[in-house]
Amino acid sequence: MITYDKNNKIFNLTNNEMSYIFCILKNGKLGNLYYGDAIGENLKIDQMIHFEKTSLTVNYFKNDDKFSMQNIKQEFPEYGRGDYREPAIMLTRENGSHLTDLFYKDHTIYKGKKSLEGLPSTRGEKICETLVVELYDDIIDLTVKLYYTIYKNINAITRHVEVMNGEKESVKINRLLSASIDFFDSDYQWLQFSGDWSRERHLIEKKLSEGITSVGSIKGTSSAEHNPFIILKREKTDEFKGEAYGFSFIYSGNFLAQGEVDSRKTLRMMMGINPFQFNWKLDKKESFVSPEVVLTYSNKGLNNLSHQLHDLYNKDLVQKKWMTQKRPVLINNWEATYFDFDENRILSIAKEAQQVGIDLFVLDDGWFGARNDDTKGLGDWIVNKEKLPNGIQGLSKKINDLGMKFGLWFEPEMVNEASNLFKEHPDYIISDPQRNSSVGRNQLVLDFSRKEVVDEIYRMMENTLKNSTVEYIKWDMNRFISEPFGKDLGLEHKGEFFHRYILGLYSLLEKINENFPHIMIESCASGGNRFDPGLLYYAPQAWTSDNTDAVSRLFIQYGTSYGYPISSIGSHVSEVPNHQVGRLTPLKTRTDVALFGTFGYELDIGKLSNEEKSQIEEDIKFFKGNQELIQKGRFYRLISPFKTNNETAWICVSNNKEEALVGFYRIRNAASNPLKKIILTGLNPEYNYSVNGKEYSGRILMKFGILLTDFYGENKVTGDYYSKLFVVKKI
Ligand code: GLA
């Protein structure tokens, strides 16, 4: 998959469908030649790079007025050598200079892939090959290694960078993007996934033009506002056809995704740790490893682009165990009780849940310390015996005796001022001791850049976990970082704070995973405020949004599916009127939306009518009967709520194409609606299928589609918030 053409000095990373090609330029730096459809071998540098004399540029060589770094498509751009676009790397040397001159020194190619120490990364268990290109600056004695891994059967390349300092001087890394690519032109639409609390990952599309287009975070988490995932697509590319590029960052902290279009309309795309407030000191002989960026490519539209990420994350990022294991159908007590519960109340909810077939009970916030509202108790991970006299040990055992597994909520990174932890260790919080600390949801953030803080939290968590039968953790995080200041870090190291915080978080997640391998973690951050591939490495599913309203979820889940497999999308049925938006939707619609994710409930089933209870029992049977298809099948987006603002459709197709499940949703009904059909995809045109009992050929389903009117039934007045499932089975 990876070759080096010695004569032409060209690196060629090609799998069956795509090529990523770069070269060593005549000044010893790397030039990007091509990224797109597979184009084979026998390439020449001057066929693919403009070398031309232009007026305003400065030239690298005195005797060559056609060689300017500004005009050349680069692979790892540096600062200050005549390229005025933003660089991938910038350092400060002891003498204050920001200049580097990194030249190709060597490279190695090997099968498979190594993991990144202390950081989440794809595991390299699928067939892949790695190229490491070594660059060297002899004035500083600095080595930079660029890592590329290409997958054989997934159109994905992962990239990261390692900076290794030599023996001459210390340096400060001011800026280090994990991937940078110069595209030949900038004729792309930029797709970002942005929002807010309870409105996460809404698709926003804009055309690139001169200047910088970027999204990022400086909040200490990847955030609900912007996701570390970007798509570039050609104007005519849609879900089913056309070229698209994905950029995804396996990281949970401050990030930057940026596209810079210059005056010649070329595009420089880059992604990595946000350079804002990042300043990492490397003493002599020290090194720094950047987190991993995933590049994905499709020439068959956006669904296909998403499939590359779904495959990569399902098969090579999440923990091996959870790749195949069926996820439990769960019930969570948060919306049913909030903080107001005791053991009896919890057991009564659990009993009802068990009777309808739910596998796992999750006890949410409020079980510990003095936590009767959100002003107290965070940080005291010791059971509140007034509420739960038999402890977590006793409660988990009772839940197990009902025939259910038990799960527990933690918010390990936080503390309330009203807590024992804060009383004993007021210095554990992130703060500037000379200033007031801002609060968010009445809480403060613990300084996870300090090992002793992480260790203390682990100690408390371990105590609870080892003395009970917890098999699932909901790992929450409910505020951003403010007053960022690494109190413990030396003056020279203050700029390392945000990254060290994330490293501390990852170390705790790693330790819990290692020491409690039977526990599955579901990540959460006020819903989807930290839904990123970094967390996915430790926690195979995430609470997608605090918004459980079925209509809102159509947008949130549709948007999330662009970058994440639906096996990671936590989706629950909750009660109506909905707690976040007050909407009344039918149980059927709420169920039909939640089915396309890691299915569960967030209500007290005991409060429902017998008819609703029986319906839920049927729904859970239906989900379990289709779980393999939903968890491991191919998910395609069919009709976008972002386009129609009224209708949505999606389909999950089994890998052998013998079964599929289609969801259709209509938000508002109208009289005399336009005629409607849904064209399916992903099936086998040669097969015959039954769709809710009616016979079709695969070809008809995929070319003509199914007429919706056929399925409305006797009473065609469907009302608002309508949903319909189509069960497709090979005959
Ligand atoms: C966050 C989560 C909710 C719930 C509460 C508990 O908001 O997103 O699901 O766990 O915290 O305080």
Side-chain angles (χ1 to χ4, degrees), residues 327-330 520 522 540-544 565-572 594-601 623 627 630-631:
R327 310 288 170 78
V329 175
L330 67 84
M520 180 173 75
E522 173 158 336
Q541 54 192 56
W543 183 225
T544 313
I566 62 167
S567 59
S568 67
I569 296 181
S571 49
H572 301 167
L595 280 173
F596 290 85
T598 61
F599 189 54
Y601 288 81
F623 174 75
Q627 189 166 9
I630 293 170
Q631 196 179 314

Side-chain angles (χ1 to χ4, degrees), residues 412-527:
E413 296 148 83
M414 301 291 160
V415 66
N416 284 122
E417 251 170 313
S419 68
N420 292 332
L421 183 72
F422 186 78
K423 253 179 245 146
E424 279 162 35
H425 300 285
D427 63 308
Y428 272 14
I429 59 163
I430 295 171
S431 69
D432 176 341
Q434 296 183 338
R435 302 185 188 278
N436 290 341
S437 293
S438 310
V439 286
R441 208 193 184 204
N442 307 303
Q443 64 201 50
L444 300 159
V445 189
L446 292 170
D447 188 348
F448 266 33
S449 73
R450 290 167 62 185
K451 188 169 178 308
E452 69 270 36
V453 178
V454 175
D455 286 349
E456 173 62 14
I457 297 300
Y458 176 76
R459 196 189 56 73
M460 283 191 268
M461 291 179 80
E462 184 193 36
N463 247 332
T464 304
L465 298 177
K466 73 175 187 220
N467 293 318
S468 63
T469 56
V470 171
E471 288 179 76
Y472 164 108
I473 291 175
K474 179 174 173 186
W475 187 299
D476 214 335
M477 193 281 303
N478 283 312
R479 62 156 289 187
F480 298 128
I481 290 174
S482 62
E483 292 81 38
F485 184 63
K487 288 195 288 264
D488 246 32
L489 298 169
L491 201 54
E492 298 269 71
H493 296 274
K494 295 288 185 212
E496 300 170 13
F497 168 73
F498 275 108
H499 184 57
R500 287 196 182 276
Y501 177 91
I502 293 294
L503 293 178
L505 165 69
Y506 288 155
S507 72
L508 183 60
L509 283 154
E510 182 78 45
K511 210 162 165 184
I512 298 278
N513 272 338
E514 243 174 55
N515 295 344
F516 300 94
H518 61 284
I519 295 182
M520 180 173 75
I521 303 178
E522 173 158 336
S523 76
C524 173
S526 299

Side-chain angles (χ1 to χ4, degrees), residues 583-623:
R583 192 175 277 125
L584 277 153
T585 52
L587 176 60
K588 171 161 170 45
T589 306
R590 281 173 276 150
T591 310
D592 290 353
V593 175
L595 280 173
F596 290 85
T598 61
F599 189 54
Y601 288 81
E602 188 114 0
L603 43 67
D604 184 352
I605 292 175
K607 285 189 178 163
L608 302 180
S609 67
N610 286 340
E611 199 185 323
E612 285 170 314
K613 285 183 200 169
S614 325
Q615 185 57 52
I616 288 181
E617 197 173 344
E618 285 307 306
D619 294 339
I620 291 171
K621 272 194 202 125
F622 178 80
F623 174 75

Side-chain angles (χ1 to χ4, degrees), residues 332-339 345 349 364 474 543 545-549 553 572-580 601-604 607:
N332 176 302
N333 71 304
W334 179 240
E335 287 197 12
T337 66
Y338 294 105
F339 294 103
R345 179 104 168 82
I349 296 175
D364 210 281
K474 179 174 173 186
W543 183 225
S545 174
D546 274 351
N547 192 339
T548 52
D549 166 55
R553 277 294 184 129
H572 301 167
V573 176
S574 63
E575 69 179 30
V576 287
N578 172 268
H579 291 201
Q580 291 76 39
Y601 288 81
E602 188 114 0
L603 43 67
D604 184 352
K607 285 189 178 163

Side-chain angles (χ1 to χ4, degrees), residues 1-3 11-15 18-22 129 131 148-150 157:
M1 282 184 282
I2 301 178
T3 57
F11 293 99
N12 191 329
L13 288 72
T14 293
N15 66 12
M18 65 167 189
S19 293
Y20 186 100
I21 295 166
F22 62 97
E129 248 173 59
L131 163 69
Y148 301 80
T149 298
I150 181 166
I157 292 175

Side-chain angles (χ1 to χ4, degrees), residues 36 109 119 137 146 187 208 243 294 482 601 631 703 726:
I109 296 170
L119 284 167
D137 181 324
L146 307 182
D187 201 7
L208 288 177
E243 218 178 18
V294 179
S482 62
Y601 288 81
Q631 196 179 314
K703 296 287 176 199
F726 297 93

